[in-house]
Amino acid sequence: MDLSYGEAAEAFRKEVRGFIKQAWQPGELRGAELKDNIRAFRRAAIERGYLYRSVPKRYGGSEQPVDVIRAQVIREEFGRARAPMEVGGNGVNMTVPTLLEKGTEEQRELFIRPTIEGDYVWGQGYSEPGSGSDLASVRTKGELSADGSKWIVNGQKIWTSQGMQATHMFMLVRTEPDAPKHDGITYLLMDLNQPGVTRRPIRQMTGEQGSHTFCEFFFDNAEAPVSWQVGERGQGWYVSRTTLKHERASIGSADGLGSQFRKLVELAQEMGRIGDPLVRDRLAEIEGRVLSHRYTSFRLFSCAAAGEDPGAVPLLMKLLLTEIGHDIALLAQDLIGEEGMTEPVGAGGQGPRGPRGPNKWLDQIMGSLGNSIAGGASNIQRNIIGERGLGLPRDLAMSAEK
């Protein structure tokens, strides 16, 4: 297996590395100064064609031709130097690609630049109480105003990541109550800083609550302009599939899985269990799956570089990442034993959750359960793999609804 990128790619790597060395010098900056430094660095990187390569220049991107090898070199070099990559979150990963594919020119002009610059933070308004993986059963209602210029929204959304920071939301609302459930949904964009929108943080089983966790939203005659409707009225289900495609692609990335495994080995050493034959067997099994996932990502990378169709393989990546992460968490749980009985927090139950001992794994252990739901439940993903990848018959219940 030849894992080299070729002479042209290595020459490009030197160029990227030189740019980072010259442009990324954060030093001891903190707070507002660091944020300004990061913003300036990203702008310089865009000018060089390193960031937001798929976004046209008129929307704030660098508008580069598709080149998966160059994109990979950029990721590797920025990661090595810990230099700021593109703004993270739903906005860049989901909203921007959806608008580029399905949005109007007005929507692209209005939303893409502030999103990639980090001024707009997007929450995902899909899940509702009693409507999780069955996305088409949403009940939040959208009705046109008397003059037909805006949608009036009433209902509730739940499990919104970055909910406390979110400035906007892309959401599914039911606008045709008498239509078949997949055909009566409209995809809307909404400003969350308006009367009629209430957000509440959700306290999780980790004890974490606040700015970095989930929120639930309540809408009481909240408004969204009709011009902020993405796609045709009643066709939001099909627009949402575009968004979910990008979410599953980002969740399915192999980046980080190897790091989790190395930390698991360190935990086994820390707990004095690295010599236990049973532990070593489990570590070997997990490592085999981690490497398999990594080499499959190489296969996908090679297909993309050669312009070849990888078939159903990409559908597997998110599911496998979830399952391997859960196996890592289960072994960590066995290794920490009674250390996992308590969750330390700051004095008086408040304050930062900073560095701690073996029970630092508790968030990973509990979070591994949530990952089997995020971006589509694992069983739903298996259905997608079976039906779209293997050509198996659709679920009988779904067929009966059509």
Side-chain angles (χ1 to χ4, degrees):
M1 180 183 295
D2 182 7
L3 297 179
S4 64
Y5 296 167
E7 291 183 8
E10 294 309 316
F12 179 68
R13 185 186 302 278
K14 291 181 180 178
E15 174 192 315
V16 174
R17 189 172 293 178
F19 163 78
I20 296 173
K21 184 177 181 180
Q22 179 272 326
W24 178 239
Q25 299 174 359
E28 300 298 323
L29 296 179
R30 295 290 185 272
E33 287 185 330
L34 178 59
K35 289 182 179 179
D36 290 342
N37 187 270
I38 290 173
R39 185 180 287 259
F41 173 81
R42 285 190 173 124
R43 285 176 178 162
I46 290 171
E47 290 177 3
R48 293 290 293 267
Y50 298 154
L51 298 182
Y52 303 111
R53 293 169 56 83
S54 63
V55 178
K57 290 182 179 179
R58 65 183 181 276
Y59 307 134
S62 61
E63 196 172 347
Q64 298 297 305
V66 175
D67 189 325
V68 296
I69 293 179
R70 283 199 166 204
Q72 180 64 17
V73 169
I74 292 167
R75 280 192 293 269
E76 290 175 358
E77 289 305 310
F78 276 56
R80 183 190 63 81
R82 297 187 178 181
M85 279 291 291
E86 298 170 351
V87 174
N90 293 331
V92 169
N93 293 332
M94 301 171 70
T95 310
V96 169
T98 299
L99 291 180
L100 288 174
E101 188 170 337
K102 300 289 188 180
T104 65
E105 183 62 24
E106 177 188 354
Q107 291 165 357
R108 295 169 186 160
E109 292 280 359
L110 187 60
F111 294 115
I112 291 181
R113 186 183 295 271
T115 299
I116 67 176
E117 291 185 352
D119 297 323
Y120 288 175
V121 178
W122 292 84
Q124 183 182 44
Y126 282 8
S127 296
E128 300 179 3
S131 176
S133 295
D134 185 13
L135 188 57
S137 66
V138 296
R139 291 176 292 179
T140 295
K141 256 190 333 184
E143 298 176 312
L144 280 176
S145 60
D147 62 2
S149 66
K150 53 193 173 185
W151 288 102
I152 309 300
V153 178
N154 288 276
Q156 181 184 358
K157 297 293 181 179
I158 198 167
W159 306 121
T160 303
S161 302
Q162 291 186 294
M164 292 305 291
Q165 297 106 342
T167 60
H168 293 74
M169 177 178 284
F170 57 91
M171 63 192 307
L172 296 179
V173 300
R174 186 158 298 283
T175 55
E176 284 35 74
D178 298 326
K181 73 178 190 176
H182 288 81
D183 296 328
I185 298 170
T186 299
Y187 190 111
L188 298 181
L189 309 177
M190 177 178 285
D191 185 342
L192 295 175
N193 296 315
Q194 62 166 294
V197 177
T198 302
R199 67 183 89 197
R200 297 178 186 168
I202 299 173
R203 188 174 183 86
Q204 299 183 74
M205 63 181 178
T206 59
E208 193 172 6
Q209 175 178 317
S211 61
H212 299 294
T213 56
F214 297 108
C215 286
E216 56 183 341
F217 281 81
F218 299 86
F219 304 95
D220 183 11
N221 291 328
E223 300 178 356
V226 168
S227 61
W228 290 16
Q229 169 188 310
V230 182
E232 298 295 325
R233 173 176 175 171
Q235 298 299 300
W237 167 259
Y238 306 100
V239 179
S240 75
R241 291 172 67 176
T242 300
T243 307
L244 285 174
K245 172 182 66 178
H246 295 291
E247 179 185 27
R248 287 170 178 145
S250 64
I251 291 176
S253 168
D255 295 342
L257 198 56
S259 175
Q260 286 184 37
F261 178 74
R262 288 191 293 273
K263 291 177 181 177
L264 180 66
V265 173
E266 291 172 2
L267 176 66
Q269 294 170 331
E270 181 182 351
M271 302 304 295
R273 300 285 304 281
I274 194 66
D276 186 326
L278 294 179
V279 171
R280 294 176 71 86
D281 281 350
R282 291 175 69 181
L283 286 172
E285 179 183 356
I286 293 172
E287 184 178 25
R289 300 183 70 195
V290 169
L291 291 175
S292 176
H293 191 268
R294 169 61 64 187
Y295 295 148
T296 302
S297 74
F298 292 162
R299 175 183 175 187
L300 295 177
F301 178 48
S302 297
C303 286
E308 298 174 355
D309 181 5
V313 176
L315 298 174
L316 304 174
M317 297 302 279
K318 188 268 180 181
L319 178 63
L320 293 176
L321 186 78
T322 298
E323 293 186 339
I324 297 168
H326 186 53
D327 287 344
I328 289 175
L330 286 176
L331 179 51
Q333 181 173 310
D334 289 345
L335 289 172
I336 65 176
E338 63 183 16
E339 294 277 0
M341 298 298 290
T342 59
E343 172 69 354
V345 294
Q350 303 296 323
R353 300 159 60 86
R356 50 197 191 273
N359 51 8
K360 65 187 175 184
W361 278 84
L362 284 174
D363 287 350
Q364 166 72 11
I365 292 167
M366 296 178 182
S368 71
L369 301 173
N371 289 339
S372 66
I373 301 171
S378 291
N379 285 343
I380 299 298
Q381 192 70 3
R382 289 187 178 93
N383 282 349
I384 294 172
I385 293 168
E387 293 165 9
R388 301 183 194 171
L390 303 177
L392 298 178
R394 285 175 59 82
D395 183 272
L396 290 176
M398 292 294 294
S399 300
E401 290 176 2
K402 297 299 289 181

